[in-house]
Amino acid sequence: MKYKGVEIERLIPQRKPFVMVDEFEATAENAAQTALYVRADNLFVLPDGTLAETGLIEHIAQSAAALAGFQSASGGEPRIGLIGEVKHFECHRRAAAGEVVHTVIAFGLSFGSVTLVQGHCRIGEEEIASAKLKIFMQ
């Protein structure tokens, strides 16, 4: 099932104007694909019209939150997660307003309240960024 628009709010704790995931689709037990439509009014868009690197990291983290929300069988409020560590972040280029960032997110090892996450962002066939995150879930 593909989640879009306000349906995303069932998966993540963030609310507008801080939502950084526009589409979500689970592709496997611990993996998903997401999309972010980069708009000029996005809080992370710089004066030059490009999405800041911190915006890409936040998009990856919210993509992970959406996957965690999708996996949650409780049906209650989405759990709040905190980025504990960003490793191996690479940004080959920033997305510009009007572009769509497609991200593949995968959960790795989980121990206690900590989950390791890997995300790869692309525009079309071009990989623009990747990162490994350590996320602490409440």
Side-chain angles (χ1 to χ4, degrees):
M1 175 178 187
K2 188 176 274 194
Y3 292 77
K4 295 181 180 182
V6 295
E7 296 173 326
I8 296 293
E9 292 182 4
R10 292 191 299 168
L11 303 177
I12 63 174
Q14 292 81 6
R15 296 295 177 255
K16 294 201 179 288
F18 202 62
V19 174
M20 296 291 290
V21 176
D22 292 307
E23 293 182 10
F24 169 87
E25 183 175 18
T27 56
E29 182 179 338
N30 287 316
Q33 293 183 12
T34 65
L36 171 66
Y37 298 94
V38 182
R39 294 174 186 82
D41 64 349
N42 183 299
L43 294 173
F44 289 97
V45 169
L46 301 169
D48 70 357
T50 61
L51 185 67
E53 289 87 348
T54 52
L56 286 169
I57 293 170
E58 181 62 27
H59 167 63
I60 292 170
Q62 286 191 29
S63 296
L67 180 54
F70 178 79
Q71 290 176 337
S72 175
S74 67
E77 291 293 315
R79 294 189 307 164
I80 295 175
L82 303 169
I83 300 171
E85 182 177 47
V86 178
K87 292 177 78 171
H88 307 293
F89 177 67
E90 292 184 25
C91 182
H92 306 290
R93 81 167 177 92
R94 294 187 298 213
E99 292 185 306
V100 180
V101 177
H102 293 276
T103 300
V104 174
I105 194 84
F107 285 169
L109 182 66
S110 289
F111 45 97
S113 62
V114 178
T115 300
L116 302 179
V117 177
Q118 186 165 353
H120 294 273
C121 303
R122 61 180 171 75
I123 295 174
E125 297 299 316
E126 177 188 10
E127 184 169 307
I128 64 163
S130 63
K132 293 181 180 181
L133 306 179
K134 189 180 291 183
I135 297 182
F136 295 88
M137 299 297 287
Q138 288 186 340

